[in-house]
Amino acid sequence: MPTGGRSVKLPVVDLRVEKGRTTRERIVGVARDLFGRQGYDATSIPQVLEAAGVARGALYHHFAGKEALFDAVVDQQVAEIAAVAAEAARAQDDPVDSLRAGFGAWLELAADPAVQRIALLDPPSVLGWERWRELDERHTLGGIKASLRRSGRVAEADADLLAHMLLAAVNEAALMIARAEDPAAALAAGRAAVDALLARVLAPV
């Protein structure tokens, strides 16, 4: 379009790239639903292909196999958990209250069977413990560390280690909820335990 005697080039959208991105998102979305309802072992690639309406080649263009697809699903689920927790944390002005609210939001999500399968129960055996931790830490550690530092109750040198310890403790509480016969009671117990832990670890100096 001419502007003041000069031509302005509009950005060109690569339709192939956009189509590929859309296909990948559809595959991940369908796989997430299946993994969440059935678990990893009971979900097959043919089921994903049929539900997504894509050819086998389209899936393998984006993912090396079922494990890689599950990795992408877990990554997306953990990112969404972190986003929900961060939103709850931002609603609080006090850093300790922020941690309490964020952890509480995560524990509430842990009562969802689909979240349990994707974010807690299947990843350690499918992806391995180290990869599971890597995904979790990538999305959540930064916010925990920031809240600890803002609290003024933790030495700067201790913030990193304490953030790892708190994340591990909350994940254990989430696993307890996921495995409980009475998830509601386990959620209440988990929240109380995490609140007590924060009160002791971050007690005013």
Side-chain angles (χ1 to χ4, degrees), residues 4-42:
R6 293 187 303 170
S7 296
V8 177
K9 291 185 177 180
L10 299 176
V12 178
V13 177
D14 190 327
L15 296 180
R16 291 172 302 176
V17 172
E18 187 62 30
K19 182 179 179 181
R21 184 182 299 113
T22 301
T23 299
R24 186 184 189 280
E25 290 175 354
R26 181 164 70 252
I27 292 170
V28 171
V30 165
R32 176 176 172 174
D33 179 63
L34 290 170
F35 286 135
R37 286 191 289 110
Q38 303 176 168
Y40 180 84
D41 290 337

Side-chain angles (χ1 to χ4, degrees), residues 109-123 174 177-179 183:
L109 290 173
D112 183 329
V115 173
Q116 293 170 6
R117 293 188 186 98
I118 294 172
L120 292 167
L121 300 178
D122 285 345
I177 294 167
R179 294 169 176 155

Side-chain angles (χ1 to χ4, degrees), residues 7-204:
S7 296
V8 177
K9 291 185 177 180
L10 299 176
V12 178
V13 177
D14 190 327
L15 296 180
R16 291 172 302 176
V17 172
E18 187 62 30
K19 182 179 179 181
R21 184 182 299 113
T22 301
T23 299
R24 186 184 189 280
E25 290 175 354
R26 181 164 70 252
I27 292 170
V28 171
V30 165
R32 176 176 172 174
D33 179 63
L34 290 170
F35 286 135
R37 286 191 289 110
Q38 303 176 168
Y40 180 84
D41 290 337
T43 299
S44 68
I45 289 295
Q47 286 177 329
V48 175
L49 296 176
E50 181 179 0
V54 300
R56 184 176 293 269
L59 186 146
Y60 283 104
H61 174 73
H62 296 284
F63 305 101
K66 180 178 167 182
E67 182 179 320
L69 175 57
F70 184 66
D71 188 288
V73 169
V74 175
D75 192 13
Q76 184 184 80
Q77 179 68 79
V78 173
E80 291 184 10
I81 290 169
V84 170
E87 183 177 2
R90 284 195 294 269
Q92 305 297 323
D93 294 328
D94 180 76
V96 179
D97 288 339
S98 291
L99 284 169
R100 184 178 292 109
F103 290 154
W106 167 209
L107 294 183
E108 288 181 9
L109 290 173
D112 183 329
V115 173
Q116 293 170 6
R117 293 188 186 98
I118 294 172
L120 292 167
L121 300 178
D122 285 345
S125 60
V126 177
L127 305 179
W129 188 72
E130 288 188 5
R131 177 58 176 165
W132 180 40
R133 277 193 58 193
E134 177 188 339
L135 290 173
D136 196 19
E137 292 174 0
R138 177 196 302 171
H139 295 293
T140 57
L141 268 183
I144 297 174
K145 291 177 186 176
S147 291
L148 287 174
R149 292 189 175 106
R150 284 195 301 117
S151 73
R153 301 176 188 178
V154 176
E156 179 68 25
D158 297 333
D160 186 73
L161 177 58
L162 187 55
H164 281 84
M165 292 173 67
L166 287 174
L167 178 59
V170 176
N171 281 341
E172 282 300 315
L175 280 167
M176 177 191 71
I177 294 167
R179 294 169 176 155
E181 293 184 4
D182 185 346
L187 173 59
R191 293 193 66 141
V194 170
D195 287 351
L197 176 63
L198 289 173
R200 290 169 182 161
V201 172
L202 300 176

